[in-house]
Each structure stands twice: as structure tokens, then as C-alpha cells.
Amino acid sequence: MVKRTKRISHIAILTALASAIYYVESFLPMPVSVPGARWGFSNFPLLLSVVSGIGVTNTLYIALLKTLLGSILSGRFLSPMFWMGLGGSLASALFMSLFFKFTNKFGILGISEIGAFFSNAVQLIIASLFIVKSPHIFWYFPYMLFFGIITAFINATIVNYILRSVNLDRFKS
């Protein structure tokens, strides 16, 4: 019972943190104007949940809830940006979790970069199929990857610092 309560608390804290960062991030300008681009700092709680062993399902819950709550707070709920963000966040959470769980070839930085790659790829797939309905949007992919690499590095650095500073219990799903 105590372990379950700790896991629920851990999920709630990471969800609240990710949602708050999502909201604040909506006010941060990008250095290059890429329509709909976001920094992706709200993904560091997802990365933290992956490497703390909270489990694939729980990490997906955090991704879903942070996108729902963050988009409601920022006024983007059910907008095209919401759907792109939801798809990207779920893809990021899923692939980071799977690569972390089934391989031991990637460190925290590698897992973070994998999450950024799949988040960007899925967002562009959603945009090309449902929003702009054109494959030409994939010309944005190099720009998104460039900023994704930077953000993934920052996210991994934050998670490494947290892991060195705080004794996190490892939860199994």
C-alpha cells in the first residue's frame, strides 16, 4: 500500500511539474520563427519518470495529463497544436520508455534525444496528414531536430542533476 501511494504521489508531482512547465513554455519565444514550435522543456519530467523506473504505462499517463492540463491552462486545448503536442508527447514517452527498458546502449542523454526525435517526427506526421495536408511540412524537420537536440541535451542535464541531488525511489509498474 505504501509503495502504491508513493508511486501515485510520484506520478502526481511529475504531472504537475510537467503541466506547469508546459504552461510557462508557451510564453517562451523561439529564436527562429517556426510555426507551432515549442522548446520541449516540459518533457524533462517524462525523462525523469522513464529513468526512475516508474513504468511505461505511468509515463504515458504523465504525458497525456501534462498535455491535457498544460493545453487547458495555455488556451490551446483541442487546437491543432494540442493534437500535435499530444501525439509528440505520447510518442516521446513511449519510445523513451521502450528504449530505456529494452536496451542498455543509451544513457540519459541518448534516451532524451530519442524522445525528441520521435516527438518531432510524430508532430510532423500529424501536421502533414491532418492539419496542412501536405508532405512539404517535412522541410521543417531539420529545424525541429536542431532545436530538439538542444532541448534534449538541456533536459538530460536537468535530469542528471536531479538524480545526483535527490534520492529517488525506483518504482516498478
Side-chain angles (χ1 to χ4, degrees):
M1 181 70 168
V2 171
K3 190 172 184 177
R4 183 173 185 262
T5 304
K6 280 185 177 181
R7 186 179 319 128
I8 291 170
S9 298
H10 195 167
I11 292 167
I13 290 167
L14 290 174
T15 300
L17 179 61
S19 299
I21 294 168
Y22 184 105
Y23 175 70
V24 170
E25 185 180 51
S26 67
F27 298 109
L28 297 177
M30 294 292 290
V32 176
S33 180
V34 177
R38 295 177 58 94
W39 278 105
F41 296 123
S42 64
N43 287 333
F44 98 75
L46 292 179
L47 179 61
L48 186 57
S49 73
V50 167
V51 300
S52 66
I54 203 167
V56 177
T57 304
N58 292 326
T59 300
L60 288 169
Y61 284 142
I62 294 168
L64 173 66
L65 292 171
K66 76 118 175 170
T67 305
L68 287 171
L69 295 172
S71 67
I72 289 169
L73 291 172
S74 64
R76 294 183 172 145
F77 185 60
L78 298 182
S79 71
M81 295 308 304
F82 165 78
W83 296 109
M84 289 173 61
L86 179 63
S89 186
L90 291 173
S92 175
L94 177 65
F95 283 100
M96 285 192 301
S97 296
L98 293 176
F99 273 83
F100 184 77
K101 186 173 183 174
F102 294 115
T103 69
N104 58 359
K105 298 184 187 286
F106 301 98
I108 292 173
L109 177 59
I111 297 296
S112 186
E113 297 292 350
I114 287 166
F117 175 84
F118 282 103
S119 176
N120 289 327
V122 168
Q123 287 180 44
L124 284 176
I125 290 168
I126 291 169
S128 71
L129 293 175
F130 302 110
I131 298 167
V132 296
K133 299 179 182 173
S134 169
H136 297 294
I137 194 151
F138 283 95
W139 285 103
Y140 282 120
F141 200 45
Y143 299 107
M144 292 177 75
L145 284 178
F146 175 74
F147 289 112
I149 287 168
I150 294 169
T151 303
F153 176 80
I154 293 169
N155 287 343
T157 302
I158 292 168
V159 168
N160 273 318
Y161 179 77
I162 290 170
L163 292 175
R164 282 194 316 264
S165 302
V166 179
N167 183 16
L168 293 176
D169 291 331
R170 294 185 56 91
F171 298 109
K172 304 292 183 202
S173 31

